Amino acid sequence: MASPVKVCVTGAAGQIGYSLVYMIGSGAVFGPNTPVSLHLLDIPPMMGALEGVCMEIADCALPCVRDVVPTADPAVAFNDIDAAFLVGAMPRKEGMERKDLLAANVKIFKVQGEALDKYAKKSVKVLVVGNPANTNALICSQYAPTIPKENFSAMTRLDQNRAQAQIAARLGVPVAEVKNCIIWGNHSSTQFPDVRHATVNGKPVYEAVNDDAWLMGDFISTVQKRGGAVIAARKLSSAMSAAKAACDHMSSWWNGTPDGQFVSMGVFSDGSYDTAPGVMFSFPVHIKDRKWSIVQGLPIDDFAKGKLEATGKELCEERDDAMSVCAAAQ
Ligand code: NAD
Ligand code: LMR
């Protein structure tokens, strides 16, 4: 067997962590024949719960899991890692927006950026899940100047999966038949779920659904507000679907995207589609050899243009707020 991929999961004793470590250990991300070394980080008061998670990982008898390192020390958790799932952060409660978490959570990503810079491999692939994910990813990267910016990303794959599932349910087709749904912008209620370029069994979704009012109205708001709807129902934020999306995101990054297909990831904007350069904007990307590139040349109509502007404006505001929080914490 090959040498293990060293993978860190932060917030490993939390809700998402509970599903995520099993999925990674089962081979769903790096492949069924690739051993993984799981580095599990949480805060000191959670070390007892984390020990229980480690017992359960052992009891799953997962062939891919080579070893498990539970720790409260980022120097140990990030040591020489190949991939990081940065989940550990406070979740929102009913009635909050994700950006309301910024003041509490952004400092975690500053400290973890500094630790990644010191201890992780320079090729490490970092996926930020903790909210507000796009802005936390931006800050994390900023405090890890020796790791290429392209190695940081924020998760909008859950939104992409939600969009795909909504279209499949509307048409009564299996989800796998729906391809190329796009999430533009922020993982927030300003995100733009866009199926203008999506297909179902090769046919444009707009033709298959044949209801533009729904596609430009309720479909968009359902996806935008789905996280809040799950919180209202569960009294806890999404966890199983978030873990699955995190695995999908990292799997696409690690293994590439199929020809003709793209996925959405929050990545550094280079100004494509007239977005503000330097914010972590979710774009459709192709991935090859573990490098993403923004899909270029998609036609953007006036409706889409307005949506991209609104979500980009929010990302710039969040960036400025996050910088102030970090500056005050110096
Ligand atoms: P949770 O409260 O169940 O678990 C969070 C865990 O992180 C806890 O065990 C906590 O002790 C730990 N933690 C806190 N600070 C830490 C630190 N500095 N280092 C390491 N661990 C730390 O929350 P959850 O439901 O697992 O959600 C985690 C985060 O993911 C939240 O911010 C939530 O809003 C976000 N989330 C994002 C998406 C997305 O699509 N991007 C989806 C779902 C949830
Ligand atoms: C989600 O989209 O489910 C997560 O970001 C959790 C939340 O706060 O909505």
Side-chain angles (χ1 to χ4, degrees), residues 16 90-93 96-98 101 129-131 133 155 158-159 162 187-188 191 223-231 236-239 241-242:
I16 296 175
M90 194 190 287
R92 68 175 164 148
K93 306 257 167 13
M96 292 169 79
E97 285 295 330
R98 296 179 187 90
L101 296 167
V129 175
N131 278 319
M155 188 165 95
L158 178 53
D159 309 292
R162 287 168 172 163
H187 173 63
S188 76
Q191 66 176 266
V223 177
Q224 287 174 329
K225 293 182 194 152
R226 187 70 162 184
V230 171
I231 293 172
L236 284 170
S237 69
S238 64
S241 56

